[in-house]
Amino acid sequence: MSRLEQRDKGEAVATVQSSIEAALFARVNTLVLSPALPIAWPNFAFPGVDAQGREKPKPASYLRVMHMPNAAYRLCIGSGSPHQRQGLLQLDVFQPLNKGATAATELAETVAEHFPTDLKLRSGTVTLRVTKFPDIAQAFSDSTHWQVPVTVAYECFA
């Protein structure tokens, strides 16, 4: 039965993209940091609102997660053949401003080490692979935090 037929019957169907995202996010959930940091997930209020409905202030330290899929590439002639799907998982480490850079850099390295080269992640029938050690980019500041971007590159054939 095709995915469209399953949807028409009201069945929940995981797409390739949602399976890739689920595998990446599940791996983020296994990241153990000391102290534990709150995570800002895509399309969820962060840090939320208090009992009076006012937005809570952002925590001093936290991680922000963003999934950035890229274009799919057709590698074979057959229309049912797998496509190469590449993308990035962006994990931003936020630390308090004016506390020095070293702690944030070390935390970014810990996050990067959680996604080693050739790590295979699976969700449903989809398997993806981390293609190289994550990039730790130049840190920068905003009005309240020091941010260190960590970028995880992956590929999937599905």
Side-chain angles (χ1 to χ4, degrees):
M1 179 182 315
S2 76
R3 194 171 288 163
L4 292 175
E5 291 170 329
Q6 287 176 305
R7 273 199 203 125
D8 289 344
K9 288 186 172 187
E11 297 175 17
V13 180
T15 64
V16 171
Q17 288 297 339
S18 66
S19 294
I20 290 170
E21 195 167 85
L24 292 166
F25 290 0
R27 180 66 179 180
V28 173
N29 268 327
T30 65
L31 181 61
V32 177
L33 300 171
S34 183
L37 295 182
I39 298 175
W41 295 99
N43 202 27
F44 281 98
F46 182 82
V49 294
D50 63 19
Q52 289 77 35
R54 296 181 300 238
E55 188 172 329
K56 295 177 185 176
K58 289 195 169 127
S61 300
Y62 65 97
L63 296 178
R64 181 176 63 195
V65 178
M66 295 186 313
H67 176 217
M68 298 176 284
N70 203 334
Y73 297 99
R74 184 177 179 180
L75 302 175
C76 302
I77 294 174
S79 61
S81 298
H83 284 61
Q84 180 187 30
R85 299 166 191 262
Q86 298 174 319
L88 303 171
L89 176 67
Q90 182 73 35
L91 301 161
D92 296 318
V93 175
F94 288 86
Q95 293 282 287
L97 193 58
N98 299 319
K99 301 283 186 185
T102 303
T105 302
E106 288 175 351
L107 184 55
E109 181 75 20
T110 300
V111 170
E113 288 172 347
H114 194 62
F115 292 88
T117 304
D118 292 324
L119 173 69
K120 289 187 175 128
L121 302 174
R122 186 174 178 92
S123 178
T125 61
V126 173
T127 301
L128 65 94
R129 180 181 66 88
V130 174
T131 58
K132 65 185 189 85
F133 190 81
D135 295 313
I136 300 173
Q138 171 71 42
F140 58 93
S141 64
D142 61 17
S143 60
T144 60
H145 288 86
W146 185 252
Q147 178 181 344
V148 183
V150 177
T151 306
V152 180
Y154 70 85
E155 73 177 351
C156 172
F157 294 91

